Amino acid sequence: MMSDEYLVECKIDDDDDDDSDEEVKKIQPSLAPPPQFSSSSQASLTHIETRDPYGVNNHLKVEFSDVLAEPPSTRSYDRVWVYSGIGFESARLWSYRCLTAVCAVPVSCLSGCLFALLACFHIWCVMPCIQVCHTCLPCVRSLWMSVVNIFIAPLCTSAARCCGGVYVLVSKE
């Protein structure tokens, strides 16, 4: 299914003007094409800057004030607080950069292989099995209904009739 970001809306006026410039202006898309289909470098730079367009990792937007905070009653020196904030942000940024430099390519390759394996398994194993079940399901359903009507329904009916005559009185002594 295609997402809405790939759809292009065209505004068309039905005026009967003979001017050729008006014809060009009538069919102008209101949105730019997606970055992967655009040939300009500006669109690809914009696409690179938006690395989490769907907000998958919004929970990872952590700032110094989200982790460390001092109440008004107990306060450290202002310089200590400022340097702690600088140290926190620098350590977070550079640790992330170093870890991604070492781990990003191998983890992305492993993730790609994992998703390819899952897609292959789903396409070639799971979906054919589901289709076979859907094809055979009417036969199995009629067989199961016969088993239920012959064995299980009379058993449950007789058990209900046996237990239907039992009355339990609860009294407080």
Side-chain angles (χ1 to χ4, degrees), residues 63-65 67-68 78-96:
E63 295 181 8
F64 179 69
S65 60
V67 178
L68 298 171
D78 289 338
R79 292 283 182 196
V80 171
W81 187 253
V82 170
Y83 291 142
S84 297
I86 293 170
F88 175 84
E89 290 297 329
S90 299
R92 183 178 63 91
L93 178 69
W94 285 103
S95 298
Y96 177 75

Side-chain angles (χ1 to χ4, degrees), residues 60-75:
L60 294 177
K61 293 180 181 175
V62 178
E63 295 181 8
F64 179 69
S65 60
D66 296 332
V67 178
L68 298 171
E70 286 183 333
S73 60
T74 56
R75 296 181 66 95

Side-chain angles (χ1 to χ4, degrees), residues 15-28:
D15 296 337
D16 292 332
D17 294 338
D18 292 333
D19 192 9
S20 63
D21 289 336
E22 286 294 325
E23 290 295 322
V24 173
K25 290 180 184 176
K26 285 181 188 177
I27 306 174
Q28 288 291 331

